[in-house]
Amino acid sequence: MTAAVDRIVSRVLRWPGVEVEPHRFGGTEFVVAGKEIGHVHDTGLVDLAITKRVRDVILTEGLADAHHVLPNSAWVSYRVRGERDITGAMRLLRLAYLWRLSALRRRGFDLDPTFDAHRELRRLDLPVELDTLVRDTFGDALNRQAYA
């Protein structure tokens, strides 16, 4: 499992503004502007910090499971059992990252002025309900032009 976990950590670390810290229950925590977007345990379990509305859609669509310890929280868990599961984990982590960047952009803080949220949403190819939720929640930030 270490190779898959290492690959996930390596990829997420390339995203602008992402920092890693040791997770208090083991593994690697991903932090953007002081807030955790998720973490990966050494066993391959990826936990994502999102909102309950997003969690509900993710669970309904079968993209992840309820959090393994806190099933009624806004967290979800995704199991990486091998190389083929990395794509699903990265998709969900990228969604959490997009959610965080959009929230920051809405507050006037732009970690990556070149970040094109519309392109990212197309690339993630989310189920319609989830895509609509992201666009409805952050439409103003998604449409904001970044100035260099």
Side-chain angles (χ1 to χ4, degrees), residues 92-145:
L92 291 169
L93 284 163
R94 194 67 177 180
L95 173 62
Y97 178 72
L98 168 68
W99 193 269
R100 181 70 176 135
L101 287 188
S102 297
L104 290 167
R105 188 175 274 183
R106 174 182 272 173
R107 294 181 192 110
F109 184 67
D110 207 345
L111 281 176
D112 182 3
T114 65
F115 187 78
D116 182 341
H118 291 291
R119 185 185 73 229
E120 288 292 324
L121 283 170
R122 283 191 303 275
R123 199 175 104 218
L124 288 174
D125 192 28
L126 299 171
V128 172
E129 187 177 355
L130 188 52
D131 185 85
T132 301
L133 177 57
V134 173
R135 291 178 190 278
D136 288 350
T137 303
F138 292 111
D140 58 334
L142 296 176
N143 293 321
R144 184 172 297 145
Q145 290 288 75

Side-chain angles (χ1 to χ4, degrees), residues 2-37:
T2 304
V5 170
D6 289 347
R7 186 165 294 144
I8 290 168
V9 171
S10 171
R11 288 181 183 175
V12 175
L13 260 175
R14 292 184 205 141
W15 301 344
V18 172
E19 298 175 349
V20 295
E21 300 176 359
H23 185 63
R24 68 183 179 271
F25 298 118
T28 303
E29 187 170 301
F30 306 110
V31 177
V32 176
K35 187 170 183 180
E36 180 182 359
I37 63 167

Side-chain angles (χ1 to χ4, degrees), residues 54-125:
V54 174
R55 182 229 33 204
D56 291 346
V57 176
I58 286 173
L59 295 179
T60 298
E61 294 290 338
L63 300 175
D65 299 317
H67 189 267
H68 60 105
V69 175
L70 304 167
N72 296 318
S73 71
W75 287 77
V76 296
S77 294
Y78 181 88
R79 295 199 181 277
V80 176
R81 294 176 178 89
E83 294 292 317
R84 72 181 187 286
D85 297 321
I86 291 174
T87 301
M90 294 304 300
R91 183 181 189 205
L92 291 169
L93 284 163
R94 194 67 177 180
L95 173 62
Y97 178 72
L98 168 68
W99 193 269
R100 181 70 176 135
L101 287 188
S102 297
L104 290 167
R105 188 175 274 183
R106 174 182 272 173
R107 294 181 192 110
F109 184 67
D110 207 345
L111 281 176
D112 182 3
T114 65
F115 187 78
D116 182 341
H118 291 291
R119 185 185 73 229
E120 288 292 324
L121 283 170
R122 283 191 303 275
R123 199 175 104 218
L124 288 174
D125 192 28

